[in-house]
Amino acid sequence: MLLQLSTWSEVETYLSQSQGIILPIGSTEQHGPTGLIGTDAICAEVISKGVGETAEALVGPTINVGMALHHTGFPGTISLRPSTMIQVIRDYIVCLTRSGFTKFFLINGHGGNIATLKAAFSETYAHLADLNIANGELVKCKVGNWFMCSSVYKLAKELYGDEEGSHATPSEVALTQYVYPEAIKVAPLSEDVASGYPIYGAANFRYRYPDGRMGSNPALATPEHGKQFYELAVKELSNSYLQFINSD
């Protein structure tokens, strides 16, 4: 059940049975010479839909732009500042809390979002208390990072070893290939790929990681691998979601 394809009366009926909602969040950023700029949002969205179907949960609209300031040295990247993203998350949750939702499970596709999401949750809890919204004290938020699922991590290591890397990875590229086989990209990739440098500003990132990859070899990705990653992530995150909404 997708929020944007539902009517308000259908949502009201859903709320009489469950107060949980899944919010996909990703990023719009470069993913190397062969990775789609929308990779992180695409992955979060398709996995969220799968979890929604499995757990019979409502899925909200995808938050396509996240915190990716360090990637803005590459054309096409769009980023929110951390302070802006905190306000966006807070406003989403406040609106949905007014409707009656109290359990917010964010399925995340971008590592750069994690710190800001944690800060956003703290800001939101305090803001709800200040507003004194009904049931605001019951609100709980949780992040499920699909790429950090134990089953996903294990398969990535089995398939790619150290060539999985940490950005523009074959695992995430494989998932986009499974979802959008018509958009598979091919480009020359140098055998030498930078890795291990700390992340600072956009100019430094572009200098240290000139083609956008971080220790990865996305040429190893296949749509068949993507299907495996999808199924593993949906299974693991469905269990995590159900445990979350059934907890006190």
Side-chain angles (χ1 to χ4, degrees), residues 22-61:
I22 295 168
L23 295 176
I25 181 167
S27 183
T28 299
E29 65 185 47
Q30 70 83 21
H31 274 79
T34 59
L36 306 180
I37 286 176
T39 291
D40 291 344
I42 291 167
C43 293
E45 182 172 85
V46 69
I47 291 169
S48 293
K49 289 180 178 179
V51 173
E53 292 172 1
T54 301
E56 298 183 350
L58 188 66
V59 180

Side-chain angles (χ1 to χ4, degrees), residues 207-230:
Y207 172 72
R208 293 297 190 185
Y209 300 100
D211 74 351
R213 294 180 295 154
M214 299 178 71
S216 63
N217 182 7
L220 300 174
T222 70
E224 292 74 24
H225 292 167
K227 184 175 186 289
Q228 294 179 66
F229 286 119
Y230 168 79

Side-chain angles (χ1 to χ4, degrees), residues 175-198:
L175 183 49
T176 65
Q177 290 179 346
Y178 170 60
V179 179
Y180 290 109
E182 72 278 11
I184 294 174
K185 310 293 183 180
V186 178
L189 296 174
S190 62
E191 291 187 12
D192 294 330
V193 55
S195 65
Y197 295 107

